[in-house]
Amino acid sequence: MRMNWYYRMILSYTPIFFAAISLMIFIFFLVLNHATRDKYIETNKAILKRTVYNSDANLMLIERNVVGEMLTDPVFQDFFSDRPKSAVDDYMLQKKLIGLKASLPFGNTIYLYHEGERRVISDSGSYRLDDFGDREFLLHHYGRDTAGQWHAPRMLAYAASDERKQEVVSLV
C-alpha cells in the first residue's frame, strides 16, 4: 500500500511540529519562572521596607519615651543631683527603670551614669564605673556632642567579668 503525498507530507513535518510545541512549552515555563522570581523579589523588598519602617517607628517611640521620662520624672532628676543617695533612692530609681523598660516595645537595657559618683545604675543593679562591663563604650561617648544618636549593634555585659553578653543597639 502506497501512501499518498498528503500523508507523507504530514508525517515529514510531525517532528518539526513536536519540536515547535516543545519549544513553546519550554519558553512558557521560562517566562513564568522569570515572572515568579521578579514578584518574589518585589514582595521581599516590600516586606523589608515595611520592617525597616516599623523598626524606625519603634526606635523613635523608645527615644521619645526615654527622653520624656528623663526630663520630667523627679526620681530620674534626683539621681543626677549632688545630694547623697540612700539605698531607698537607688531602689526607687531601679523600680522606675524597670517600669520604663516594661513600657518599651523591644527587649531593652537601660542604665544611667553619674559622673560625680562614678557610678552606673541599671534595672539589674548598681555598679562602680571601674567594674562596669560597658565602661569603654560609656567613656567613649560620654560628654560628646553625639547625644541623641542611635549606634550600631554591639555586645553588652553589665559586669566586666560576665560571660553572658547580649547584642544591643544603643541610644546615648
Side-chain angles (χ1 to χ4, degrees), residues 33-137:
N33 182 28
H34 182 70
T36 304
R37 186 178 62 225
D38 288 347
K39 267 301 187 202
Y40 175 75
I41 290 170
E42 185 180 319
T43 303
N44 280 347
K45 284 181 182 178
I47 290 170
L48 181 63
K49 192 174 186 179
R50 189 66 184 169
T51 302
V52 168
Y53 174 78
N54 286 340
S55 297
D56 282 344
N58 281 330
L59 290 174
M60 284 190 289
L61 174 70
I62 289 171
E63 183 176 0
R64 191 176 314 123
N65 286 348
V66 169
V67 170
E69 283 290 318
M70 294 293 162
L71 293 175
T72 60
D73 196 309
V75 174
F76 289 123
Q77 291 175 350
D78 188 45
F79 173 73
F80 296 108
S81 70
D82 291 331
R83 78 166 184 81
K85 314 298 185 292
S86 67
V88 173
D89 293 328
D90 285 351
Y91 171 75
M92 294 302 290
L93 182 61
Q94 283 181 321
K95 196 170 159 184
K96 282 287 188 180
L97 287 173
I98 291 169
L100 181 60
K101 179 179 173 179
S103 71
L104 300 176
F106 295 132
N108 53 66
T109 303
I110 302 172
Y111 64 81
L112 305 172
Y113 172 60
H114 191 283
E115 183 181 28
E117 298 175 2
R118 296 189 55 82
R119 188 168 70 104
V120 176
I121 192 163
S122 73
D123 57 326
S124 65
S126 179
Y127 306 91
R128 290 186 336 212
L129 182 61
D130 297 332
D131 299 331
F132 189 54
D134 205 23
R135 179 177 183 262
E136 288 80 23
F137 179 82

